[in-house]
Amino acid sequence: MSGCRRFCQSGINILAGLLLLLSVARAEVAPWEAWIPASAAGHDVDALRQKFSLLSKEQRVAAGLHLIQKWGREARKEVFEVLESSEISVEECFAHWTRRDFEAALERAEQWDGFGGNYLRQAVFRAVAKSDPVEAARRMRARLDPMSRTYYYYVMLQGLVPELANQPARVILQALHEIRSDLCFMDEFRWGDAVYELAGTRYPWKPANPSRDWEYLISQPPSVARDLVLSLTLQVWLQRDLEKAIALDVPPLYEDLVKYRLDNAFPDDVQRVPELLPVANTELMRSWIRHAERKHVECEWRQWASLSAYLPKPSARERALDTVMRLWLERDEVAARAWMQDLPSGPAREVAEAACLEAEIGHVVKEDWHRALSLAKAMPEGTRRQRCLKTVFADAASEKLDFVQKELDVLALPKPQQAQMRDAWRLSRRDYLQRLKVEDGHDPLGAYALMLDLEDAGMRRIYALEHLGPLQSSKRNEDLQALIEKSSLSREEKDACLLQRIYLAVDGSPNGLDTAGRLKLSMDITDDETRFVHQRAVIQEMAYEHPEKAEVLVESSVLKEEDKHHLRKELQRMAKWERWKKPDNTK
């Protein structure tokens, strides 16, 4: 009897559980699931619009997503017709989908955006970036094509950049690194536009602590991305707190960025110049003056120099007067020297005379190199002497390294300073060799070899990559490859040079590579992820025009079987993409 009772009780419990599950399931069924048709065939747009209008905004987005999922990939046109007529944002639907299922949302976005679209991809990656911009950037490089000259740029600009506006510099730098293509010209263009947007009014960057951002960036290895974010930090800081920011010690590596990117961060007037001269960084003050001159604001050089010369604190007087004199001498040397001659003997006159001597060395070095070197040697130890020596060695371009090193040995400078002098010579020697005629020793490879020998790691990477372009049409392509392999570049830097060659050696150049040649050359990339990213880019480019040829190319190539497997999956994925008209000069 007890066994029968236990059996009945067990059955009752199971039945109660089933009823509970059924009630929960019914409660979770959204009302629109009943009235959205199973397919797009024969749908009534007006009827659907009327039903959508009865829902709240959040419900309309959820219902719109249900429509997208239910009608499927083939019903793109019909889905857009219904959603647009019902004033439902397709982007919001995809953002909602992304938060629930990133893979499914991206798959549909790529199928509908195809080879020419970008705004659904933007919605997907912006949804990811809202919670984690670095992860969004990482997924962009892994799942999209960084070599694309169309959609990738706009996904970055509209999908990633808006969500960087309230992030610290650390996150911005990491995100820029993660979206890299490893092609210097393409990355510099994209990163530059990203920073431009964050420095503008569209997505203005609002750092909580620019001082902490600055310290972090200075501690990072030199790179183009780091330099760009550093210039952004400096620009925003100058606008927020001019007195603190203008006193920053900006390393020489960033002078070009200061020159071209920071001018608009300064006030249009120069009223605060005398007040800030005692603390100002000369390069930043130069940017401010250049900005004022473009605005046709008159600079009171004589007044500024006189105020600086009679400051009571010696350190403030020396710094302010040195800055005024250097900038004044660049613009009106005659007037600056005349003012200096009227100064009475004393510390102020000594500072002004030293600035005039520095300007004089810049003239003398063009006529008598050894005399200029003697004048620079005779200067007291300090930053001015180092600047003058750098000017002198940069003008020894017609001499060889042995000559330069012999003079450096006599000077017995510290090793870091010697490296700076040699790098200054290498950069000027490169320009000298490039200007020579062929019969006089014009040697493009010799000039490029100097860039591979730069001792400043950041400069070496930038110049080694940026100066590959003119060499791609050289008939000495094998010599170029041998030169790179024998250089002191790291393996990562050599791979980066190889990537520039893959994408710069295009059809039509004397040694241009066709698609198969670029694919074969990519086999030498040692990093697995980087190799796949670039092989995928080559295949996508061909698959757009000739999908059947892309398949043949993969199967007939000498690639590793693992690489072939990944590329086959890519071709299968792209086979579902919509094909748009290809814009001119784009991918």
Side-chain angles (χ1 to χ4, degrees), residues 38 47 52 115 146-147 179 203 215 274 281 352 394 438 451 469 496 526 534 538 584:
F52 276 126
F115 287 89
M147 303 303 113
I179 63 168
Y203 307 118
E215 291 174 3
N281 175 297
V438 175
M451 301 301 94
T526 55
H534 290 271
V538 174
D584 293 339

Side-chain angles (χ1 to χ4, degrees), residues 73 76 110-117 121 539-551 570-583:
R73 176 172 66 91
R76 177 184 182 278
E110 292 218 288
Q111 289 169 358
W112 282 0
D113 273 349
F115 287 89
R121 291 183 177 100
I539 289 301
Q540 277 200 14
E541 183 175 357
M542 176 171 273
Y544 178 38
E545 294 282 5
H546 307 289
E548 67 289 343
K549 290 184 179 180
E551 294 178 14
E570 283 298 308
L571 288 171
Q572 292 170 5
R573 186 169 64 90
M574 288 184 286
K576 300 176 182 179
W577 289 8
E578 292 200 10
R579 297 183 176 275
W580 304 81
K581 183 178 180 182
K582 185 176 181 182

Side-chain angles (χ1 to χ4, degrees), residues 105-141:
L106 178 61
E107 181 181 9
R108 182 65 60 81
E110 292 218 288
Q111 289 169 358
W112 282 0
D113 273 349
F115 287 89
N118 56 63
Y119 79 105
L120 294 181
R121 291 183 177 100
Q122 290 172 18
V124 169
F125 283 97
R126 186 164 184 175
V128 179
K130 282 185 180 296
S131 58
D132 190 341
V134 176
E135 178 60 23
R138 190 176 293 121
R139 292 187 189 184
M140 276 181 62
R141 186 172 189 270

Side-chain angles (χ1 to χ4, degrees), residues 395-438:
D395 213 85
S398 61
E399 304 291 346
K400 294 188 177 180
L401 182 59
D402 291 345
F403 171 84
V404 171
Q405 189 58 54
K406 182 179 178 181
E407 296 294 341
L408 288 174
D409 291 340
V410 173
L411 281 169
L413 296 173
K415 288 184 177 180
Q417 289 187 26
Q418 287 200 35
Q420 289 180 12
M421 304 304 158
R422 286 191 294 268
D423 278 354
W425 170 81
R426 288 183 179 102
L427 291 171
S428 62
R429 175 74 174 173
R430 172 209 59 185
D431 295 338
Y432 171 79
L433 292 177
Q434 289 178 337
R435 286 194 301 267
L436 290 177
K437 296 180 180 179
V438 175

